[in-house]
Amino acid sequence: MIIDMPNTHTGEIAQKIDELHDERGEAATGRVLTLLILPRDHNLEEALETANTASREHPCRVIAIVPDASSDIDPDKDDSNLSAQVRFGADAGAGEIIILRPRNGLVRHQDTLVIPLLVPDAPIVAWWPTNPPASPSKDPIGAMARSRITDAMNSDNPEATMERLRGNLDTADVDLSWTRLTVWRAMLASMLDQPPHLPILKATVSGPKNFLPLDLLRSWLRLRLDVPVELKTVDDATAITAVHLEREDGELSLVRPDDNQAMVSFPGQAPQPISMPIRSDEDCLSEELRRLEPDDVYGEVINTGWNLLYS
C-alpha cells in the first residue's frame, strides 16, 4: 500500500499511520527502532530496498528525508513546505516507510520535522547511504541518533570522505566499508588461533586499486599484528581477493578466487574450500542495526591503524 500525501503536515502523517495500524490491528510498539535515511533522490529506492530487507530481522519505522527541489510547486496551493509518501504492508518490509520531501526553509529543520514521527521509546539510527556530512555527530539528524551509519565507499570521493570522518569521529559512528570486512576479520582471527602460534613476519593483502575496505583491512592487520602489510592491486577485482600471512614455518593464506568461495591454506596442509560470498549492503546494514553499540575496534583502526600505514 502506497499513499501519497502532497501539501501535508507531520501531524497528518502521524494520524494516517495510526489509522493504518488500527486497520491492521497492530501497534507501532512492535518496532524495535526508527531508521532515519538521508539518501539522494536518485538512490532513494535502492536505499529503501536495502532497509526493507534489513527490517525483516529488525522491524522498524523507516523515515527517508529527501529535500524536494521541484520547480513546479504552486505557491498559491502549497503552504506546508512538505510532501510525503507512506508505504505500508508488502511495500514496507516489516514496518512502515515514510518518505518526507521538505521544501524551502523546512529543509533546514529536518530534526524538528521527524520528531512527531519517531517510534516512542525506541532507539534512533541514522544512515547516510552515499555522501555523509563531514561530522555526522554534529549534524541535526545525527545528533538525535544512538548509532550513525555512513558508507564512504559509495560516496562521490571515498578517500576524501573517510578523511573527513576520521577527523570528526564519535564513538557512535561506524562506516559500512568496515562492516564489509566482518567475515574476513573473523576468518583471519580463527586462522591465527590455530597452533602453532608462531609470530607473523609479514602480511600481504590483494584487491582492487583505491578500494576503501582493502585499506581498512590493511590498517587492522598493521594494528593487530604490528608487522609490515604490503598491498597488491588486482586490476579486474571488484572486492578483496586474498590475504597472505608469512611465518617461519611457511605461509597462511585466505584466498577468494570468486565471489562465493574462498580457500584456506596452512603450512604443510592441503587448501580447504569454505563458503565466503561477498556481503551485500543488506547484510552489512542488518549487522549494524543488530549492534547499536560503539565499535571500539573501528575507532582504533581508522585512527591508530590508519596512521601506522600512512603517516
Side-chain angles (χ1 to χ4, degrees), residues 39-116:
R40 289 178 165 183
D41 205 351
H42 69 82
N43 78 316
L44 170 63
E45 293 302 328
E46 180 182 355
L48 292 179
E49 183 177 351
T50 299
N52 277 352
T53 303
S55 75
R56 306 292 180 185
E57 181 179 345
H58 314 277
C60 59
R61 174 170 295 173
V62 175
I63 304 176
I65 308 168
V66 189
D68 191 344
S70 301
S71 58
D72 57 351
I73 301 299
D74 186 347
D76 295 328
K77 297 181 179 179
D78 176 62
D79 58 4
S80 73
N81 285 328
L82 178 65
S83 295
Q85 185 182 86
V86 176
R87 302 184 185 182
F88 224 74
D91 295 296
E96 57 271 337
I97 291 174
I98 306 167
I99 302 171
L100 301 176
R101 294 187 177 275
R103 296 182 290 275
N104 302 323
L106 197 57
V107 172
R108 297 189 297 272
H109 302 283
Q110 297 178 8
D111 52 341
T112 305
L113 181 64
V114 302
I115 287 175

Side-chain angles (χ1 to χ4, degrees), residues 51-256:
N52 277 352
T53 303
S55 75
R56 306 292 180 185
E57 181 179 345
H58 314 277
C60 59
R61 174 170 295 173
V62 175
I63 304 176
I65 308 168
V66 189
D68 191 344
S70 301
S71 58
D72 57 351
I73 301 299
D74 186 347
D76 295 328
K77 297 181 179 179
D78 176 62
D79 58 4
S80 73
N81 285 328
L82 178 65
S83 295
Q85 185 182 86
V86 176
R87 302 184 185 182
F88 224 74
D91 295 296
E96 57 271 337
I97 291 174
I98 306 167
I99 302 171
L100 301 176
R101 294 187 177 275
R103 296 182 290 275
N104 302 323
L106 197 57
V107 172
R108 297 189 297 272
H109 302 283
Q110 297 178 8
D111 52 341
T112 305
L113 181 64
V114 302
I115 287 175
L117 303 174
L118 301 175
V119 177
D121 302 320
I124 301 168
V125 178
W127 173 39
W128 291 267
T130 53
N131 293 334
S135 179
S137 65
K138 295 179 181 178
D139 178 84
I141 290 293
M144 303 171 63
R146 174 174 167 178
S147 177
R148 293 177 286 270
I149 305 171
T150 56
D151 196 349
M153 194 180 84
N154 286 327
S155 67
D156 292 339
N157 189 328
E159 292 77 16
T161 298
M162 180 52 70
E163 283 300 323
R164 288 192 293 270
L165 293 174
R166 288 181 63 239
N168 296 285
L169 181 67
D170 182 85
T171 55
D173 299 345
V174 72
D175 194 87
L176 293 187
S177 303
W178 168 249
T179 318
R180 293 183 178 96
L181 297 175
T182 297
V183 177
W184 279 94
R185 293 189 294 118
M187 286 301 306
L188 291 169
S190 177
M191 293 168 62
L192 292 170
D193 279 344
Q194 304 298 316
H197 301 108
L198 299 175
I200 302 298
L201 305 176
K202 186 180 74 172
T204 303
V205 298
S206 304
K209 185 179 180 180
N210 298 327
F211 187 61
L212 187 54
L214 188 64
D215 294 331
L216 292 171
L217 180 59
R218 292 175 62 213
S219 299
W220 177 69
L221 289 170
R222 179 68 179 85
L223 179 66
R224 287 292 181 255
L225 300 179
D226 194 23
V227 299
V229 182
E230 295 184 358
L231 170 65
K232 288 187 176 180
T233 58
V234 181
D235 291 338
D236 59 348
T238 58
I240 299 170
T241 58
V243 175
H244 298 272
L245 304 175
E246 183 179 319
R247 293 192 315 205
E248 289 183 356
D249 64 336
E251 184 180 82
L252 292 75
S253 66
L254 178 59
V255 180
R256 183 164 59 189

